[in-house]
Amino acid sequence: DLVEAVYIDGPRAVVAAFLATCAVLWIAFRRYRDRFLTLASLLVGILWMAGTMALLGMKLNFLNFIAFPITFGNGVDYGVNLFRRILNERRASTLSGGAPILRAVEETGGAVILCSLTTIIGYSVLNTSANLAIQSFGVAMVISEVTCVLAAVMVLPAIVLLMIHRDAGAAPRDDSEGR
């Protein structure tokens, strides 16, 4: 019955959690680009999570499958906090280029990582369970925390920096030196 419930209700739970996450992003950011970048950070973390689970040979069961909808909520939080700080730093800073992004990562990245570490410790305790399904859930959640925090702290700022450089490169420049 549990396996059947996973196949029937699992996809519904994943879709509902994903739509709820998109609704939160809709509220958190006004611009589509900001929503998309934050969602992209989450999706990178989810892809890394699924890939890591596959590399470890983990099979989906009724408990570790639940890690995916939970990860939408946990994982997007890291991206929202960091990206909101990046936006605030860019607005408030007189510096250009990557300096506001570096400052945002230096000042907020540590707090985001610490938040994730406390969650990782909590999920790691599940590895002491005698129930293998609960252990599998704990491992899946630890993987999701690591991948989503790395995506938020490393990938998201890198994408924003690339976009800044791309936008700066699109501006007209003086070609008097024959470049």
Side-chain angles (χ1 to χ4, degrees), residues 28-40:
F29 298 104
R30 291 183 180 184
R31 295 174 42 189
Y32 286 104
R33 184 170 98 169
D34 299 347
R35 294 172 188 148
F36 175 76
L37 288 171
T38 308
L39 184 61

Side-chain angles (χ1 to χ4, degrees), residues 92-147:
S93 179
T94 58
L95 301 172
S96 62
I101 296 170
L102 180 61
R103 183 177 173 139
V105 172
E106 287 176 345
E107 294 186 7
T108 303
V112 168
I113 291 169
L114 180 63
C115 178
S116 179
L117 284 175
T118 60
T119 306
I120 288 170
I121 291 167
Y123 283 123
S124 294
V125 172
L126 296 177
N127 290 322
T128 63
S129 174
N131 185 312
L132 294 179
I134 291 175
Q135 286 181 15
S136 176
F137 172 71
V139 170
M141 288 307 301
V142 167
I143 292 169
S144 77
E145 284 293 317
V146 170
T147 59

Side-chain angles (χ1 to χ4, degrees), residues 79-102:
V80 166
N81 285 313
L82 194 63
F83 193 59
R84 176 63 61 196
R85 181 61 185 262
I86 288 171
L87 292 175
N88 289 343
E89 286 293 330
R90 290 194 68 211
R91 281 187 206 113
S93 179
T94 58
L95 301 172
S96 62
I101 296 170
L102 180 61

